[in-house]
Amino acid sequence: MKYPVAINTNEQRLAYCFACQKRLLVAFNLVGTWYREGAISLESYMQLPADWRQTPPFDNPTHVLTLEDFKFFKRTVFKKLETKLIVELHNQKKINAQVNAHANWVNKPKDLENDIKKVPKNKRFGLLLAAQDQVKEYTEEEQLHFSALLGQTKKDLLEEAKTLESDINLDALFEE
Amino acid sequence: MGYESFRTFNKYDPNGDVVKQRFWVKAQGVSWSDIWNVRKDFGGDVFTGDYVHTVEAQYWNASPMATCSIWGLVQIPSLMPNFTTIPYLIAAGLDAHAVEFLHFLGTDLLSLRELDGGTVYQDNNTTDISSDTVYYLEMERDEDVGTYGALYCRIYSDEERTTLVDTLSLALHEKRDFEGVMALAAHDTSEYPDYYYSVQIDNLDLGLPTGNLITSLPTLSGEVAVVKTVDGSLNCSSPTLTGEAEREGGREADGSLSTSPAELSGTIKLTRDASGNLSTLRPTLSGSVGITGVSSPVGSLSTPLSTITSSVTVGWEVTGSLRTPQPTIQGTVSIEHTVSGSLTAARPTINASQLGDDTGMFWQVRRLRKLQYMRRLSNGTIARWARRRKR
């Protein structure tokens, strides 16, 4: 996947992948609205990836999408782009987990919340990814706490990339 | 594809908090420490390769902390025990795919989980979700993504699944086939018995076949069986069937089972709930035609054969009708339990000498009389024969 020049650390790449996923979600929902309401504005239409706009019946913004059209969209053009993105996202998750695999402080779940505050916000999610294999040793409350922390740190990471989200060009991500 | 009938699922609910209807299950006011579940063992690696499952889910009235499973595929070493929950699977080092609701001190999460030998890998939503809201979920395994495949949970806000709220995903750590479904289950902990929550799931679709199976082979020497949920019809129009045609395995059949072989030397049977018809349309049947299951067929059993040399049996409650308009019955026609429909024998000859158990037949007729079906039978040969026997 192509990253903007400013995106060059592992944490930034992972955050950028999450932002791209959100951008894809927005594009999906534009097509969903097109199907539900029977029409799409030209402005919304132009926000769709070029690949989608070149694929019949989505090549015609005045076309009234049927249920079959929408199902076709989900299993073809949307699925194709989503899969490319997920492969990269999972790759970046793996890299972020691997670089934090040495962290042993996560063995102490009671101190988890305090310990994690000692590292920069954008590094926390990777640390927790690396700690997942220790969760089975936790109590139920600690496991729940861990899940809540994992969710929050993922949100924090996404927040870091939020300013980039509107500039993401889904067409350019996987250009040769 | 169609919705699973939860009537065919097992429920473990020692406190009586879980209500199970055909297409929905609700756990009302359950404690975080309670162990309960609604589950089903499909008896084989049914969930192999890619799959797409859908379900609708919501929770409400959650205490400061609570969590439960709202969908799960489970590895089962033998039988799925009553205490099958995520904590049990983790402790036992088993594998599963699951989605859980989590409520933790004001934070609400939907968590997609892979259990790999007890290790939990998870991905949680970043878009806020809330209680008292129905979410429409779509779980997918795509084995073409990555080394072991990818697991997705797409969260939608509408029934048609056109508005995405969030997408959760995991790179799987193992290729694993599953045979058990944990439709709804506690995520129990003994630490907080005073924390309560309520949860409901609706319209679980496991992507199992529900359409028509048509075999029009000239010769079929094996078995024709539908071992999963069937909403359509099973139609065998082969001229010769030497094996068995059956529906069984605890699945509900809403359609009809129709066999029109010229000769059937095996058996035709519905062994569980059937709300459709069982009909055999050819002149010779040397096996048996039976509804022998433990539940209630609500359709009809129709055997317009010219000759039945064995038995026609309805072994349980029937709210439909049993019709045998053959010219000759050499076997037995019996209804062994309550019938709220009708028994009609519309042909003149019954070879009573080959009925085998006269007393049994007499007893059956007395039962029918008791059930006030004699009026329907009074014009029929069976009734006349029964009166003769009584005298």
Side-chain angles (χ1 to χ4, degrees):
Chain A
M1 194 169 90
K2 286 185 177 174
Y3 292 93
V5 179
I7 305 294
N8 45 37
T9 67
N10 292 327
E11 298 82 24
Q12 287 174 332
R13 288 200 184 95
L14 181 55
Y16 191 75
C17 285
F18 283 135
C20 290
Q21 200 181 19
K22 290 293 179 194
R23 178 71 187 81
L24 179 66
L25 181 147
V26 171
F28 176 95
N29 287 343
L30 288 175
V31 178
T33 305
W34 182 2
Y35 161 63
R36 282 196 317 277
E37 298 181 357
I40 186 170
S41 70
L42 199 57
E43 186 187 357
S44 295
Y45 183 72
M46 293 311 292
Q47 290 179 45
L48 302 180
D51 181 41
W52 298 6
R53 283 185 276 124
Q54 289 160 8
T55 305
F58 313 104
D59 56 347
N60 177 6
T62 62
H63 176 69
V64 179
L65 293 185
T66 64
L67 178 60
E68 284 309 308
D69 292 337
F70 188 68
K71 285 181 178 174
F72 174 74
F73 157 74
K74 282 175 79 169
R75 70 173 183 267
T76 56
V77 288
F78 170 72
K79 177 75 177 164
K80 184 179 160 190
L81 187 53
E82 185 193 45
T83 300
K84 284 182 180 176
L85 194 52
I86 289 292
V87 168
E88 181 64 16
L89 174 64
H90 289 174
N91 188 38
Q92 292 302 329
K93 270 187 171 180
K94 190 176 175 183
I95 290 169
N96 275 268
Q98 281 173 346
V99 297
N100 289 293
H102 64 279
N104 59 6
W105 52 266
V106 286
N107 282 321
K108 301 171 284 183
K110 287 288 183 192
D111 302 325
L112 196 60
E113 195 150 23
N114 289 328
D115 281 351
I116 209 162
K117 283 177 183 166
K118 295 171 188 169
V119 296
K121 254 189 176 183
N122 67 352
K123 290 188 181 296
R124 293 174 188 173
F125 185 68
L127 278 164
L128 292 177
L129 283 180
Q132 285 191 104
D133 59 354
Q134 297 166 35
V135 173
K136 62 183 172 186
E137 310 298 335
Y138 295 1
T139 66
E140 290 305 322
E141 184 190 344
E142 288 163 353
Q143 287 183 27
L144 197 50
H145 199 161
F146 181 89
S147 296
L149 268 179
L150 195 65
Q152 185 55 51
T153 52
K154 185 182 168 188
K155 273 186 189 177
D156 293 343
L157 195 59
L158 184 61
E159 196 67 32
E160 297 248 325
K162 199 156 192 173
T163 52
L164 298 168
E165 197 179 310
S166 58
D167 294 330
I168 290 171
N169 179 357
L170 291 172
D171 289 322
L173 291 178
F174 299 100
E175 273 179 354
E176 295 298 325
Chain B
M1 311 307 149
Y3 299 139
E4 288 296 308
S5 171
F6 291 117
R7 288 176 188 155
T8 65
F9 282 56
N10 294 314
K11 182 174 79 163
Y12 179 66
D13 176 29
N15 295 330
D17 296 325
V18 182
V19 180
K20 181 167 76 86
Q21 292 293 322
R22 188 174 183 192
F23 293 130
W24 58 266
V25 181
K26 178 166 65 177
Q28 180 97 39
V30 285
S31 162
W32 197 18
S33 65
D34 290 347
I35 296 176
W36 55 269
N37 59 51
V38 174
R39 67 191 196 277
K40 181 169 175 176
D41 180 353
F42 279 78
D45 289 334
V46 174
F47 305 102
T48 61
D50 297 344
Y51 63 74
V52 178
H53 295 175
T54 58
V55 72
E56 301 162 20
Q58 65 173 318
Y59 74 98
W60 63 97
N61 288 345
S63 293
M65 290 186 281
T67 179
C68 67
S69 303
I70 53 175
W71 167 85
L73 295 183
V74 183
Q75 173 200 4
I76 309 164
S78 54
L79 288 174
M80 245 168 142
N82 278 339
F83 44 86
T84 300
T85 62
I86 292 289
Y88 160 72
L89 296 169
I90 293 172
L94 297 175
D95 296 344
H97 295 167
V99 175
E100 295 203 286
F101 267 133
L102 290 87
H103 180 77
F104 181 77
L105 304 176
T107 301
D108 293 302
L109 292 173
L110 272 167
S111 186
L112 177 66
R113 297 177 165 220
E114 179 198 14
L115 270 61
D116 177 27
T119 298
V120 182
Y121 299 96
Q122 57 185 299
D123 190 27
N124 305 318
N125 57 297
T126 52
T127 305
D128 289 342
I129 63 160
S130 55
S131 61
D132 295 295
T133 304
V134 179
Y135 292 100
Y136 301 83
L137 309 181
E138 179 182 81
M139 285 64 64
E140 177 184 5
R141 173 165 66 179
D142 185 345
E143 291 202 326
D144 291 333
V145 178
T147 309
Y148 301 107
L151 183 62
Y152 300 81
C153 174
R154 299 188 187 88
I155 306 165
Y156 299 89
S157 61
D158 64 320
E159 192 173 357
E160 282 196 290
R161 293 175 171 82
T162 62
T163 305
L164 256 177
V165 174
D166 211 336
T167 299
L168 315 179
S169 72
L170 290 169
L172 293 170
H173 293 76
E174 185 183 31
K175 284 201 174 179
R176 157 68 65 186
D177 298 332
F178 295 104
E179 59 267 45
V181 171
M182 198 168 64
L184 191 65
H187 186 130
D188 53 295
T189 173
S190 57
E191 294 174 88
Y192 298 99
D194 297 329
Y195 287 0
Y196 295 91
Y197 62 97
S198 299
V199 62
Q200 179 170 336
I201 60 166
D202 292 67
N203 299 335
L204 173 65
D205 186 346
L206 298 174
L208 299 175
T210 55
N212 299 336
L213 171 63
I214 298 173
T215 62
S216 54
L217 308 173
T219 303
L220 179 68
S221 58
E223 294 183 356
V224 178
V226 178
V227 294
K228 301 189 179 65
T229 303
V230 177
D231 286 336
S233 60
L234 169 63
N235 188 342
C236 323
S237 54
S238 43
T240 305
L241 177 68
T242 56
E244 294 186 343
E246 63 179 305
R247 279 187 190 147
E248 64 175 355
R251 279 74 176 179
E252 196 155 317
D254 286 336
S256 59
L257 171 61
S258 170
T259 64
S260 52
E263 293 176 30
L264 177 68
S265 58
T267 60
I268 299 176
K269 58 185 175 180
L270 296 181
T271 57
R272 295 297 168 105
D273 286 1
S275 55
N277 302 325
L278 170 63
S279 63
T280 61
L281 303 174
R282 285 296 180 269
T284 304
L285 175 71
S286 56
S288 62
V289 178
I291 299 179
T292 57
V294 296
S295 297
S296 307
V298 293
S300 62
L301 170 64
S302 174
T303 62
L305 311 173
S306 58
T307 305
I308 294 179
T309 57
S310 185
S311 62
V312 177
T313 305
V314 178
W316 211 253
E317 292 185 21
V318 176
T319 55
S321 60
L322 170 65
R323 302 182 66 231
T324 62
Q326 310 87 303
T328 306
I329 297 177
Q330 294 174 340
T332 59
V333 178
S334 61
I335 297 178
E336 295 169 358
H337 289 271
T338 305
V339 177
S340 56
S342 61
L343 168 64
T344 306
R347 287 292 181 276
T349 305
I350 293 181
N351 188 346
S353 63
Q354 294 185 32
L355 283 172
D357 184 356
D358 289 357
T359 308
M361 187 65 183
F362 174 68
W363 184 84
Q364 298 296 345
V365 173
R366 284 194 64 187
R367 169 176 282 228
L368 289 173
R369 183 202 294 271
K370 186 177 181 181
L371 292 169
Q372 297 182 339
Y373 281 95
M374 284 308 292
R375 181 183 295 181
R376 289 184 186 177
L377 295 172
S378 60
N379 294 328
T381 308
I382 291 177
R384 286 195 294 277
W385 173 82
R387 282 196 292 275
R388 284 201 303 274
R389 294 289 303 170
K390 193 175 181 184
R391 283 197 294 272

